[in-house]
Amino acid sequence: MSDDELEEIRQQKRDQLESKIRGDGAGTVEEPSGVPSEPVYVNGVSELNDTVSKYDVVLVDFYADWCGPCKMLEPTVEQLAANTDAAIVKVDVDKNQELAAQYQVRGVPTLLLFADGEPAEQIVGVRGYDDLEGLIDAHLA
């Protein structure tokens, strides 16, 4: 995804939020539970911090485009975003090496679960939907 595409998505989200605040109904997509229904791609420490502080439970998928297991995990991550009350975040470790180092990501895929703004769980490798959903549900309660 290019910087221009990301900026366009951010602008759309800003417009939707402003519309929601004004109450004019122009916002096209409304998340029923307040969390995104698709994975959110973040770049940099500040974007991740903003996202983690915005939602109660955040599952961060540290991945790489060249990583086979990461590609296997992608449909599960998308399904979790659509079906759980956790925000799902994706971080490309090649573009965000500093961020990966900060959270001691040494292999991909690495999943890091934040609960109430703090890292709560770290999983390395591919896991099934049910395992990850159970992990998320345990921290939503």
Side-chain angles (χ1 to χ4, degrees), residues 46-114:
S46 64
E47 279 187 37
L48 181 61
N49 289 342
D50 290 347
T51 306
V52 166
S53 66
K54 186 175 181 180
Y55 303 106
D56 292 336
V57 176
V58 178
L59 182 67
V60 182
D61 174 17
F62 289 91
Y63 75 99
D65 289 332
W66 47 263
C67 167
C70 297
K71 291 177 183 174
M72 289 172 42
L73 185 62
E74 191 167 350
T76 301
V77 169
E78 290 174 356
Q79 190 178 4
L80 287 166
N83 298 323
T84 67
D85 288 333
I88 308 299
V89 171
K90 294 189 62 85
V91 176
D92 184 337
V93 295
D94 292 328
K95 294 178 182 171
N96 295 280
Q97 293 177 6
E98 180 182 318
L99 188 55
Q102 178 179 337
Y103 289 103
Q104 300 172 352
V105 174
R106 293 185 176 87
V108 285
T110 293
L111 299 170
L112 185 59
L113 185 101
F114 287 85

Side-chain angles (χ1 to χ4, degrees), residues 13-34:
K13 288 293 182 186
R14 278 187 217 106
D15 293 344
Q16 288 172 2
L17 288 170
E18 288 172 4
S19 171
K20 190 173 183 180
I21 290 167
R22 287 191 307 266
D24 63 7
T28 55
V29 177
E30 188 171 321
E31 304 295 344
S33 62

